[in-house]
Amino acid sequence: MAAYRCYYPAVLLILCSFSVFVVADTEDATLINGQDVTALNSPQTASKTAAQTAEQPAVEERQWEATASAAAADDQDRTPDTPAPGAEVQPVVPPVLPEPKDSFQEELVFRPLHSGDIYASFQFRTLWETDFMRGNKVSHYRLFPKSLGQVISKFSVRELHISFTQGYWRTMQWGQPFLPSPPGAELWVWFQDSVTDVDGTWKELTNVLSGIFCASLNFIDSTNTVEPSASFKPLGIGNETDPRFLRYATLPREIVCTENLTPWKKLLPCGSKAGLAVLLKSEKLFHSSFHSQTVHIRPVCQDWQCKTTSWELRQTLNVVFDLHTSGQSKREWSLFKMFSRTLTEACPLASSSKIYIDITDNPQGEQFELTPATTLLSQAVVLGDRRTFSVYDLTQQATFGNTRSLNLLIRWKSSEGDMLRPLLHAERYVAGYGLQTGEIHTLMYNNHPYRSFPVLLLDSVPWYLRLYIHTLTVTSKGKDNNPSFIHYQPSKDRVRPHLLEMLVQLPPNSVTEVTVQFERALLKWTEYTPDPNHGFYVGSSVISSLVPSIVAMDTNSTRERPLFSSFFPCKEESSYFVRVYTEPLLVNLPTPDFSMPYNVICLTCTVVAVGYGSLYNLLTRSFQIEEPSPGLAKRIANVIRKMRGVPPL
Amino acid sequence: MGLLSDPNRRRALISLLTRLNAPICVVCYMAGVAWFMGLAFEPFTLRTYMSENAMGSTMVEERFPAGERALATGREFAAHKKKAGGMPVDWLVRTMQARGLEVFTQSFSRTLPFPDENKERYMVRGTNVYGILRAPRAPRTEALVLSAPCSPGDSNNQAVGLLLGLAHYFRNQIYWAKDIIFLVNEHDLIGMQAWLEGYHHTNTTGMDWSPLQGRGGSIQAALSLELSSDVVTSLDVVLEGLNGQLPNLDLTNLFYAFCQKIGVLCTIQGKLQRNDWDSVSGYSHSVQTMMLMVMKQASGRPWGDHGLFLRYHIEAATIKGINSFRQYKTDTTTIGRLLEGMYRKLNNLLERLHQSYFFYLMPSLSHFVSIGYYMPAFGLLAVILLLRALDLWVQLSTPPPRTEDGVDDIEQSSPGVLSVLTPLVISHLTGVALYMLPIRFQEMAVEHFPVSETEAVVLTAIAVYTAGLALPHNTHRLVSGEGTEQGWKVLKLVAVLYLAVLLGCTALINFSLGFILAITLVPVAAFITPHVPKLLSAFILVVLSPAFTLLFSVFLYQELLEMPISFQEGWVLYLSVISQGILDHFLYGSLVYPLVALLVYPCWLLFWNILFWK
């Protein structure tokens, strides 16, 4: 109902505006259509509708603005499918406009963290209703980046997930991220079941992606690729879950920097020219505690009945800014302080462009103060918790106020928060000393007070750590905890890594410890990296789980809720999916002293030639004193005596 | 080697070696000692230089401003320490949290095998507090450690204050690539041992500790800070760690480089560097410095909290502030800047410190003696043993002139095997007794004699040691009857070779210990036969035994420290050194006590046995 109420004034407005301004740009029309679609799709609260209706004049103002700017930008004509200027001059416009099959949304979520840090998450989503897999080649790209489209069709990719992360997500301080990712680079791909040579395709794909993202993804080969059987299910539609078509690899050593950010930004329809992407300035993004950028491609349903599917490209960028290192005495954050930019407009191609700020812990504004204030609120269940967000809609001109720029300011009032106790978190370390053996400990914490839940643990360990799988123990609360499912694939030297997958039940309020011993292999001398004394990396373990939700946890909470609704925990919120990555490990292997090959060669040669040779000679032979050789006269005499048949002298 | 394959020349060489054996041995011994003393002469040593490129030129800028504030924090810490009567855990946790660190605690407890009278502790229970500064955008794979012990009394408060001040300053910097762990450990080495064992999840000494919650990956380097005054005149660096392990020389170089840059007086073994190497006093100064290092290294105990890190292949050193009566004082801000500079350099490390030397001696902070230079000194001593062995071998292999039939041979060699095996076994059993009994029998000793536990342990050890002198040669006579001429030669051959291998292995791991043992044991091994005058030889043998070596070392060490002591004090110190040595073994896994008890002492008993061969 609310949506319809919103819709009618909008249509009226469109009609009105188009009748006045005959010259209209398709770009703008697209925008308006897109907005309508969102208005239709998203269920909105009554308060929000009220706010929108109240802001009608402002919306009208925006229309003026947008049209003017569109007219100015007409010469540039960036989008390929803009119709010829002549076609635009039509007396009746709205019904005739073809609805484009692709759309773009952008949003930015802020979560002020207890520690005084701030977590900013950019989400960009491009949807396109097309079929890359059909015989005819898709060659006409509008919002969807062509480079990725070609990758999908050439390599028959069903789903593709890449993340580049610099830093480790501190679950104990920051809670759960919206989208977890391990330090370094992570790539996992589901191929279509029509692919015959999966390994070959995977090899090619990683090399192509390496070029696209300027990353060392070409170092992914069989020694760090695994086929997890259970941990990585497809996130899009489709039932095919045969792990033969899945490849997973991480590069824990990959360093993420500007050269990875630039190609990532180029995939956005507006680039970094307009919209939220204006904020993505590398000198600020890399002056932070955590930086992660991802690309996810998957097929999704276009409508409720899932009659048609479309491809979703979701680009996210997560960054955590540190209060202490920013060198400010006051505890406050603004867009300018974080990104050294303010916002002036939404991306003109975006159908929705919003900023969300998590104010769940701050209902009365006692923790922090938010300026400019907004009345728009939105509620969502995020990671099993019902969160409230303040919303700034960038497509509405009123958001920018009089200064024509939006500089959000969050000013903290209280100080310091304690460490969090996330329901599930994990850590990992190498135990022991010396360069021969060691032990990998993985600790999984279940902080839920009374409910146990199962987790899937995935460990991929390089072959040069030889796991002694018979030493694998899983203990929780001092007792053995037998995993109900273990999938172990032993490594082959120089060919493939160890793969260990386990389904472990974590008892409530406990720490479960998984230990396995290993032996450090001695590598061949060409296999060492240029800096062997730095150590060798072992990628993060992946822990995937359905965690009981916090909402379902407060059973005795009858406040604000009618009694009849609160007896059974409602199903949607009863548990939520969480993936936790542990820290990668840095393991020292026995390393020869490479700086002295000359000494080594000299020493070995000397030892072998002089020492061994002659000593062996001395030990194995027996020596006897030789008879002194007879004189010449005696020899001649002996010859004569021999001829005579007389015994020699 | 061609020389040896010619039987004539071989014979000539061997006869030369056997004929001139004694003079050659004497020359070798003199040469070895002379070589060793020459090591301290500056023209013979190398200047230290930074090998690690990542720490090469001085590119970092030190800006630490808050020395006064650090001292204020130190005073606050002292007040809370007094109030809590020990480690102010809550206050430390709060303070570290306020500085933006992730803070964790670890509790530990340990019951000592017998009460430690020096530090007055028996049942130790404590808590370590550590805060981790998480480096921005780093994946928790590498860490550096800065630690300060929470000492009883009024000492070391400034160190904790400076640690917290540095934590506060470091937290606001963006350039860290490695996590930095700020650790305040209680009960100095025991707390450190608990923390390190917890961090690496090992248990080598049977201590109880609670598992650690937060970690920072593999630790690359560590510094331990000891500072008990607001201003210092000089900073002293302590290197000697457990079992004589030393940190990579680059760590020392780094300290020295920053002292030079910032202009802080720096010392090693508490001795300043002198420029007059060509004068006698200058030379004796560097001999003193080097001998102090040799003494400390030979003791095998950790001389600072850093000493326990070395077992885990973590380069570590202790930096001590010394406040003497000099005019020129350095304030805490400057020390903070020095530490900041060092940590920034360590932060720049790409690999573990591995470029420079791990085996070295330092006659001064700017000069070092590498393993290639000092090993010949030991080699010259060890070669004496081999020459004596060769001599004995030749004597044994040349058949006695009068009989040449096989029967006699068998007669002579068969008691040989038994006469060798018996003393070997008996003396080793004595060694085992020396190792086991002091701890086992302390309760019984306390019951029957009016002594404390510590005294009981030490006196039992001395009693077993002395009893050992009477045991072997008496029992073996019972077992194998009269010894033959051939018998003691075989026994001595075995003993000499045994000693050579033993000292060689010891010197490879801990040169100083090997060298000191060689200096005293080699002459004994060389000259002892049953035919020398009994009483005098017995006296010499006892005086050169391991126990007396330790006694002399105690006096020499005090002499080197320029704190000479009377015999009475020396004896008391000697007893406490023995108890400390035993404690070090049980608490931290120092290997000197078992080495002496199980191997060196039995080996020496063999020579004692030879002297009284009948």
Side-chain angles (χ1 to χ4, degrees):
Chain A
M1 265 308 285
Y4 276 102
R5 245 191 281 159
C6 178
Y7 178 65
Y8 282 121
V11 170
L12 273 173
L13 205 85
I14 293 160
L15 279 172
C16 166
S17 69
F18 273 109
S19 55
V20 174
F21 295 94
V22 184
V23 183
D25 197 352
T26 346
E27 215 171 281
D28 193 33
T30 318
L31 189 78
I32 294 156
N33 270 336
Q35 191 196 12
D36 289 349
V37 170
T38 14
L40 263 173
N41 287 345
S42 63
Q44 308 221 336
T45 55
S47 68
K48 189 173 170 182
T49 323
Q52 277 198 350
T53 344
E55 275 169 10
Q56 278 311 317
V59 176
E60 199 170 31
E61 199 177 288
R62 186 200 58 82
Q63 291 290 335
W64 283 72
E65 273 291 312
T67 326
S69 69
D74 207 13
D75 311 53
Q76 297 172 6
D77 252 353
R78 281 197 301 111
T79 42
D81 60 345
T82 312
E88 291 174 38
V89 194
Q90 283 178 3
V92 268
V93 185
V96 189
L97 271 174
E99 193 181 325
K101 289 189 162 183
D102 52 356
S103 65
F104 174 68
Q105 286 171 280
E106 56 178 9
E107 66 184 45
L108 168 59
V109 188
F110 286 111
R111 192 203 283 167
L113 302 168
H114 282 279
S115 50
D117 303 345
I118 193 157
Y119 170 34
S121 173
F122 291 84
Q123 311 265 339
F124 301 96
R125 182 198 200 204
T126 311
L127 269 178
W128 190 15
E129 190 190 332
T130 184
D131 192 353
F132 288 111
M133 299 307 151
R134 226 180 300 139
N136 56 345
K137 274 196 170 172
V138 184
S139 58
H140 193 63
Y141 289 84
R142 204 178 80 98
L143 294 176
F144 204 89
K146 191 172 179 179
S147 53
L148 289 182
Q150 285 177 333
V151 165
I152 296 171
S153 58
K154 175 151 196 292
F155 298 106
S156 307
V157 171
R158 188 146 67 97
E159 265 188 38
L160 182 145
H161 304 270
I162 311 181
S163 75
F164 298 101
T165 307
Q166 184 73 7
Y168 181 73
W169 183 266
R170 305 172 196 168
T171 318
M172 290 290 279
Q173 288 181 317
W174 300 339
Q176 296 288 354
F178 296 124
L179 244 170
S181 54
E186 182 197 43
L187 172 65
W188 54 287
V189 174
W190 278 93
F191 291 97
Q192 300 283 356
D193 46 13
S194 56
V195 179
T196 46
D197 177 18
V198 179
D199 287 317
T201 319
W202 168 249
K203 183 80 201 143
E204 271 185 68
L205 174 68
T206 52
N207 279 287
V208 168
L209 290 175
S210 167
I212 293 178
F213 291 102
C214 274
S216 324
L217 294 173
N218 53 326
F219 283 104
I220 293 176
D221 54 11
S222 67
T223 58
N224 50 19
T225 304
V226 290
E227 303 166 27
S229 61
S231 292
F232 288 91
K233 293 288 175 206
L235 297 180
I237 51 172
N239 292 321
E240 182 63 53
T241 54
D242 186 347
R244 280 182 300 138
F245 298 105
L246 169 66
R247 290 294 179 275
Y248 173 81
T250 53
L251 296 172
R253 216 189 161 162
E254 180 72 11
I255 289 167
V256 184
C257 203
T258 332
E259 79 267 22
N260 307 106
L261 182 67
T262 313
W264 183 90
K265 280 198 289 197
K266 279 189 181 159
L267 300 176
L268 296 171
C270 288
S272 51
K273 300 285 190 297
L276 294 173
V278 169
L279 303 176
L280 302 175
K281 284 286 168 190
S282 52
E283 77 265 19
K284 280 293 183 185
L285 286 184
F286 291 104
H287 196 287
S288 58
S289 294
F290 176 83
H291 172 94
S292 164
Q293 58 193 60
T294 66
V295 170
H296 300 277
I297 299 172
R298 59 175 181 180
V300 293
C301 287
Q302 181 67 15
D303 46 22
W304 188 244
Q305 284 115 1
C306 213
K307 274 179 191 156
T308 52
T309 61
S310 54
W311 286 86
E312 184 198 64
L313 163 69
R314 189 180 282 231
Q315 288 176 261
T316 67
L317 189 142
N318 297 301
V319 63
V320 177
F321 292 101
D322 189 23
L323 179 75
H324 291 267
T325 54
S326 57
Q328 50 181 341
S329 47
K330 281 181 285 181
R331 288 165 65 95
E332 63 175 39
W333 289 104
S334 67
L335 280 186
F336 191 77
K337 267 194 179 139
M338 284 183 268
F339 303 103
S340 70
R341 288 283 183 290
T342 54
L343 284 172
T344 51
E345 56 171 346
C347 171
L349 297 172
S351 57
S352 116
S353 176
K354 283 177 182 150
I355 297 182
Y356 294 86
I357 293 169
D358 192 335
I359 53 159
T360 317
D361 307 326
N362 186 35
Q364 263 78 49
E366 68 267 27
Q367 291 241 341
F368 53 83
E369 190 186 330
L370 203 61
T371 45
T374 176
T375 47
L376 286 187
L377 288 179
S378 155
Q379 275 208 337
V381 175
V382 185
L383 300 168
D385 194 5
R386 204 175 283 120
R387 315 291 295 183
T388 317
F389 297 91
S390 288
V391 185
Y392 294 84
D393 192 348
L394 298 187
T395 49
Q396 304 204 355
Q397 202 54 40
T399 316
F400 297 104
N402 295 330
T403 51
R404 302 248 182 279
S405 79
L406 176 65
N407 184 18
L408 275 175
L409 184 69
I410 298 168
R411 190 176 288 123
W412 284 88
K413 287 177 181 167
S414 67
S415 62
E416 290 320 313
D418 287 335
M419 274 206 203
L420 299 174
R421 272 173 64 86
L423 287 184
L424 172 68
H425 78 106
E427 60 184 80
R428 193 159 69 137
Y429 60 92
V430 180
Y433 59 93
L435 288 177
Q436 198 196 349
T437 55
E439 197 168 35
I440 296 179
H441 286 239
T442 311
L443 300 177
M444 293 178 285
Y445 293 82
N446 175 4
N447 287 332
H448 201 286
Y450 56 86
R451 196 168 286 180
S452 70
F453 52 86
V455 296
L456 257 174
L457 174 71
L458 168 74
D459 241 330
S460 155
V461 181
W463 62 267
Y464 39 78
L465 301 188
R466 307 223 160 92
L467 291 187
Y468 294 152
I469 205 68
H470 69 277
T471 60
L472 177 76
T473 55
V474 185
T475 48
S476 26
K477 290 184 169 173
K479 276 181 283 184
D480 270 6
N481 181 354
N482 281 334
S484 46
F485 161 79
I486 292 187
H487 172 218
Y488 174 66
Q489 191 185 35
S491 72
K492 276 187 193 157
D493 278 7
R494 299 173 180 85
V495 176
R496 71 172 189 215
H498 302 267
L499 169 69
L500 179 61
E501 269 187 295
M502 285 190 289
L503 186 67
V504 187
Q505 188 81 17
L506 303 188
N509 208 1
S510 71
V511 187
T512 303
E513 187 168 24
V514 180
T515 63
V516 61
Q517 289 174 12
F518 64 87
E519 188 186 79
R520 299 161 205 241
L522 192 62
L523 301 187
K524 290 180 180 167
W525 69 290
T526 47
E527 286 169 344
Y528 286 97
T529 50
D531 52 351
N533 283 291
H534 178 67
F536 292 77
Y537 283 86
V538 179
S540 310
S541 305
V542 190
I543 293 158
S544 322
S545 169
L546 280 173
V547 175
S549 148
I550 304 164
V551 178
M553 207 163 96
D554 49 310
T555 43
N556 59 349
S557 145
T558 43
R559 63 197 153 85
E560 294 169 24
R561 273 204 289 172
L563 287 176
F564 60 82
S565 76
S566 61
F567 186 67
F568 294 110
C570 50
K571 193 173 179 299
E572 291 86 2
E573 295 170 344
S574 67
S575 59
Y576 61 102
F577 181 77
V578 163
R579 188 165 280 153
V580 175
Y581 291 93
T582 64
E583 48 271 79
L585 302 176
L586 187 61
V587 182
N588 277 85
L589 295 186
T591 311
D593 187 354
F594 292 106
S595 62
M596 303 186 171
Y598 174 75
N599 297 5
V600 171
I601 290 168
C602 286
L603 197 71
T604 353
C605 291
T606 315
V607 166
V608 168
V610 180
Y612 176 74
S614 42
L615 212 64
Y616 183 72
N617 215 357
L618 276 174
L619 290 172
T620 50
R621 282 197 203 167
S622 66
F623 297 95
Q624 280 180 344
I625 296 168
E626 202 182 3
E627 286 287 314
S629 61
L632 186 70
K634 204 174 183 179
R635 258 189 254 169
I636 294 168
N638 274 345
V639 169
I640 296 168
R641 286 173 81 99
K642 199 177 181 183
M643 284 160 64
R644 282 171 55 204
V646 187
L649 282 170
Chain B
M1 289 292 167
L3 207 64
L4 291 177
S5 48
D6 182 350
N8 281 326
R9 285 192 222 150
R10 190 184 341 181
R11 204 177 294 150
L13 190 71
I14 288 170
S15 72
L16 185 78
L17 283 180
T18 44
R19 208 157 19 89
L20 296 177
N21 199 291
I24 293 176
C25 287
V26 172
V27 168
C28 277
Y29 190 79
M30 305 293 241
V33 176
W35 186 294
F36 179 74
M37 297 311 282
L39 292 177
F41 192 49
E42 203 177 296
F44 295 165
T45 58
L46 292 173
R47 266 199 90 78
T48 52
Y49 56 92
M50 194 77 86
S51 300
E52 176 63 59
N53 283 327
M55 300 198 305
S57 55
T58 325
M59 284 182 298
V60 297
E61 205 174 301
E62 307 84 26
R63 291 188 177 148
F64 177 69
E68 286 306 313
R69 228 167 100 193
L71 288 179
T73 319
R75 282 190 284 276
E76 205 179 328
F77 170 73
H80 280 92
K81 187 164 85 173
K82 198 168 277 175
K83 205 161 75 184
M87 183 100 152
V89 177
D90 294 334
W91 181 81
L92 269 173
V93 168
R94 260 185 290 116
T95 318
M96 283 189 178
Q97 262 168 0
R99 278 156 177 70
L101 306 182
E102 273 181 38
V103 190
F104 305 93
T105 57
Q106 182 206 25
S107 56
F108 59 90
S109 68
R110 173 79 217 238
T111 308
L112 272 55
F114 56 89
D116 182 356
E117 290 189 347
N118 281 21
K119 291 182 174 156
E120 292 172 355
R121 55 191 182 192
Y122 180 48
M123 282 163 67
V124 180
R125 187 173 292 279
T127 312
N128 294 324
V129 179
Y130 65 103
I132 305 181
L133 191 173
R134 295 291 182 195
R137 280 170 295 106
R140 293 192 182 179
T141 47
E142 292 173 290
L144 303 172
V145 173
L146 175 61
S147 78
C150 168
S151 319
D154 262 345
S155 60
N156 226 17
N157 297 327
Q158 283 82 354
V160 177
L162 184 56
L163 175 125
L164 292 171
L166 281 173
H168 183 59
Y169 174 74
F170 285 1
R171 180 66 180 87
N172 293 332
Q173 309 307 316
I174 188 75
Y175 43 66
W176 300 113
K178 300 172 171 52
D179 291 358
I180 301 180
I181 302 176
F182 295 92
L183 167 67
V184 180
N185 52 315
E186 204 178 356
H187 300 299
D188 47 61
L189 281 165
I190 296 182
M192 189 58 95
Q193 173 85 3
W195 190 79
L196 280 167
E197 288 195 345
Y199 197 91
H200 294 96
H201 205 105
T202 56
N203 204 335
T204 47
T205 53
M207 186 182 285
D208 289 325
W209 38 258
S210 63
L212 298 191
Q213 294 285 316
R215 283 182 175 76
S218 85
I219 301 173
Q220 305 288 307
L223 288 182
S224 177
L225 195 60
E226 288 179 23
L227 205 64
S228 297
S229 55
D230 289 359
V231 287
V232 297
T233 47
S234 61
L235 289 178
D236 187 50
V237 61
V238 184
L239 303 172
E240 299 82 7
L242 188 69
N243 291 324
Q245 272 186 293
L246 298 171
N248 195 285
L249 188 57
D250 268 342
L251 195 66
T252 325
N253 294 340
L254 183 68
F255 171 72
Y256 181 61
F258 270 100
C259 284
Q260 299 290 66
K261 186 186 172 194
I262 294 181
V264 181
L265 280 180
C266 53
T267 60
I268 186 163
Q269 321 297 353
K271 305 244 180 230
L272 274 175
Q273 185 165 341
R274 287 170 64 150
N275 293 322
D276 53 341
W277 55 268
D278 42 356
S279 70
V280 177
S281 63
Y283 170 69
S284 74
H285 183 82
S286 57
V287 168
Q288 269 185 2
T289 317
M290 190 177 77
M291 281 306 291
L292 270 174
M293 178 153 187
V294 168
M295 289 291 175
K296 286 183 173 177
Q297 198 188 4
S299 75
R301 62 182 316 224
W303 285 82
D305 281 356
H306 73 282
L308 297 171
F309 281 95
L310 298 169
R311 181 208 294 271
Y312 301 92
H313 195 356
I314 299 166
E315 307 315 320
T318 296
I319 293 178
K320 253 184 202 167
I322 293 176
N323 196 14
S324 65
F325 300 107
R326 276 173 186 274
Q327 284 291 309
Y328 183 73
K329 304 276 187 191
T330 307
D331 62 348
T332 318
T333 311
T334 317
I335 304 171
R337 278 172 54 215
L338 180 116
L339 287 169
E340 183 203 350
M342 288 183 75
Y343 271 87
R344 287 197 64 179
K345 279 291 181 82
L346 291 170
N347 178 54
N348 289 348
L349 278 182
L350 296 175
E351 303 181 62
R352 275 169 185 280
L353 287 172
H354 69 284
Q355 299 273 17
S356 197
Y357 295 87
F358 285 96
F359 297 94
Y360 53 88
L361 295 176
M362 299 201 85
S364 71
L365 248 185
S366 63
H367 285 81
F368 75 103
V369 183
S370 76
I371 184 167
Y373 286 76
Y374 65 60
M375 259 321 187
F378 175 79
L380 284 167
L381 295 184
V383 91
I384 296 173
L385 296 175
L386 297 183
L387 282 174
R388 296 306 291 180
L390 182 74
D391 186 33
L392 284 167
W393 177 255
V394 171
Q395 284 181 29
L396 282 170
S397 57
T398 43
R402 47 188 180 84
T403 53
E404 289 210 331
D405 52 357
V407 185
D408 207 349
D409 262 344
I410 293 164
E411 262 185 18
Q412 286 199 331
S413 64
S414 56
V417 173
L418 200 64
S419 65
V420 168
L421 212 60
T422 322
L424 261 180
V425 169
I426 292 172
S427 54
H428 276 94
L429 286 179
T430 323
V432 171
L434 178 58
Y435 178 67
M436 309 281 280
L437 294 189
I439 297 294
R440 288 286 165 85
F441 283 179
Q442 51 164 319
E443 282 170 26
M444 202 194 285
V446 169
E447 258 175 49
H448 291 93
F449 301 100
V451 286
S452 71
E453 276 99 340
T454 318
E455 282 171 333
V457 169
V458 176
L459 294 178
T460 317
I462 293 177
V464 173
Y465 191 91
T466 324
L469 302 187
L471 202 62
H473 61 276
N474 284 332
T475 42
H476 109 265
R477 221 174 297 154
L478 281 178
V479 174
S480 59
E482 287 294 292
T484 57
E485 190 70 8
Q486 205 75 328
W488 74 260
K489 281 185 182 165
V490 175
L491 178 59
K492 185 169 174 188
L493 179 63
V494 169
V496 163
L497 287 177
Y498 182 22
L499 186 65
V501 171
L502 185 61
L503 291 181
C505 295
T506 312
L508 278 182
I509 298 164
N510 185 348
F511 166 77
S512 304
L513 184 60
F515 188 78
I516 289 178
L517 287 175
I519 283 274
T520 53
L521 288 178
V522 165
V524 169
F527 86 89
I528 219 77
T529 62
H531 308 305
V532 289
K534 284 270 162 4
L535 209 63
L536 181 67
S537 315
F539 177 71
I540 294 175
L541 202 55
V542 168
V543 163
L544 290 179
S545 79
F548 275 83
T549 311
L550 180 60
L551 183 65
F552 299 145
S553 301
V554 167
F555 281 102
L556 179 61
Y557 180 71
Q558 291 298 325
E559 207 55 49
L560 288 169
L561 281 182
E562 292 163 356
M563 288 191 292
I565 46 172
S566 68
F567 186 77
Q568 199 65 35
E569 291 167 332
W571 179 252
V572 173
L573 192 60
Y574 175 65
L575 295 184
S576 85
V577 162
I578 294 177
S579 72
Q580 287 298 311
I582 298 175
L583 269 182
D584 280 347
H585 170 60
F586 285 102
L587 288 183
Y588 319 120
S590 157
L591 292 174
V592 175
Y593 174 57
L595 176 82
V596 170
L598 294 174
L599 298 172
V600 178
Y601 173 65
C603 190
W604 177 86
L605 275 183
L606 291 179
F607 293 108
W608 181 256
N609 205 338
I610 291 164
L611 180 65
F612 293 99
W613 192 273
K614 286 245 173 68

